[in-house]
Amino acid sequence: TDGKLAKLQGKTLEPLAIVDVAEAQAKALGIVGPSRERSAGAADQLIVSDRLILVLSADGRLARFNPDTLEVMAVSPDVMQLGDRKSEEEGGSTEISSWMVDASGNNIYLLTGAMLIKLNTQTLIAEEKLALSRVDERVCGDRFMARYDLNGDNRVTMDEFNGTEAEFARLDSNVDGAITADEAPQPTETAEGGEQLRVTRHGVYVYRNGQVFRLNPKNLQKEKEITLEDIADANVRPPRREGIWD
């Protein structure tokens, strides 16, 4: 609260240790002088287990604290520096929308509007990064027509389309053998809450722009685009309608 992390005795609520998160991070990073100002309304985020305490501060730094003493064990510089500038320029957000530690406690996954980043829990060093634009491969609206309308007649036929016949049939709503601009897939606005992340023993699941993808937890390569039925089979609850994992 208010930038401070406190450990209390469970029965008496007696303070056992208190640390100023920003000052502890700055000291661990060797930063001299006042810490960065906190944005209005910004909040730190906390993950606690019997083995570790992780604090993602409002200024974008991730720190691991000793569960017993609250001593800083490792600090990552501004995690947004780990991102992909090109993806951000293409419209990806630099705010962390979701983050999780896997069941082993060995890996941390950070999800932004532009990147999925895998960190080592002990060192907080980025081990893998994936630009989400490489995951969300749908081409929508005018971009769909520009890519597939090869002869410029404002119609995309099966000969021009590189998808399956089933995908073509789903888009060709009037069954006239061609996809027009009105029938082309349209971009889906992600509801408030942004991209969502879930990490299970089955894989890493990313909900983005109305789609769900399963990624390999080791290398973050896309394994498949999945349906809500696939998620149910993996014992992962799908996002609610507003786009938030429950």
Side-chain angles (χ1 to χ4, degrees):
T1 178
D2 294 330
K4 290 183 171 58
L5 177 65
K7 178 181 180 181
L8 308 179
Q9 208 282 334
K11 293 183 179 180
T12 65
L13 298 187
E14 176 188 359
L16 299 178
I18 300 176
V19 62
D20 184 294
V21 172
E23 289 182 4
Q25 291 174 321
K27 182 177 180 181
L29 291 171
I31 298 175
V32 179
S35 58
R36 285 181 285 182
E37 294 184 1
R38 297 167 61 83
S39 302
D44 297 330
Q45 299 178 49
L46 176 70
I47 286 182
V48 179
S49 75
D50 58 349
R51 290 179 291 175
L52 59 88
I53 295 176
L54 295 170
V55 176
L56 179 62
S57 59
D59 63 10
R61 289 181 179 144
L62 181 66
R64 179 170 62 87
F65 291 82
N66 184 307
D68 297 320
T69 64
L70 298 190
E71 176 188 1
V72 176
M73 307 301 293
V75 179
S76 170
D78 187 340
V79 293
M80 295 326 338
Q81 297 177 5
L82 304 173
D84 182 86
R85 187 173 300 277
K86 182 178 180 181
S87 295
E88 295 170 9
E89 292 173 352
E90 291 174 352
S93 168
T94 59
E95 296 182 358
I96 295 173
S97 56
S98 188
W99 67 305
M100 289 192 71
V101 178
D102 64 13
S104 70
N106 295 326
N107 302 294
I108 305 165
Y109 296 87
L110 298 168
L111 183 66
T112 77
M115 296 287 295
L116 176 63
I117 305 169
K118 177 184 176 183
L119 304 175
N120 181 288
T121 301
Q122 297 300 313
T123 64
L124 302 186
I125 294 175
E127 296 186 339
E128 296 287 344
K129 295 187 292 184
L130 174 69
L132 292 182
S133 59
R134 299 170 195 158
V135 175
D136 187 357
E137 295 175 342
R138 289 186 305 173
V139 180
C140 301
D142 294 339
R143 292 179 61 193
F144 178 91
M145 299 302 295
R147 173 173 293 189
Y148 297 121
D149 180 19
L150 302 180
N151 60 10
D153 65 351
N154 297 320
R155 302 168 76 251
V156 176
T157 64
M158 185 62 203
D159 290 338
E160 297 171 303
F161 185 64
N162 71 348
T164 67
E165 292 184 3
E167 291 171 332
F168 185 88
R170 187 175 69 251
L171 294 173
D172 182 17
S173 58
N174 61 3
V175 198
D176 66 349
I179 301 169
T180 61
D182 292 338
E183 297 171 309
Q186 300 301 314
T188 302
E189 291 292 335
T190 303
E192 185 177 355
E195 292 76 10
Q196 298 296 312
L197 171 71
R198 180 67 69 199
V199 181
T200 77
R201 61 187 178 86
H202 297 277
V204 177
Y205 296 82
V206 174
Y207 173 80
R208 175 176 166 81
N209 292 334
Q211 294 176 287
V212 179
F213 301 95
R214 187 180 72 206
L215 307 175
N216 187 306
K218 294 183 179 180
N219 54 27
L220 300 187
Q221 295 300 306
K222 185 174 78 171
E223 294 185 339
K224 64 184 296 189
E225 178 182 345
I226 63 178
T227 66
L228 297 185
E229 289 77 13
D230 292 324
I231 296 179
D233 291 342
N235 295 318
V236 180
R237 295 179 180 179
R240 301 195 297 271
R241 289 187 179 180
E242 66 269 27
I244 307 298
W245 292 98
D246 59 14

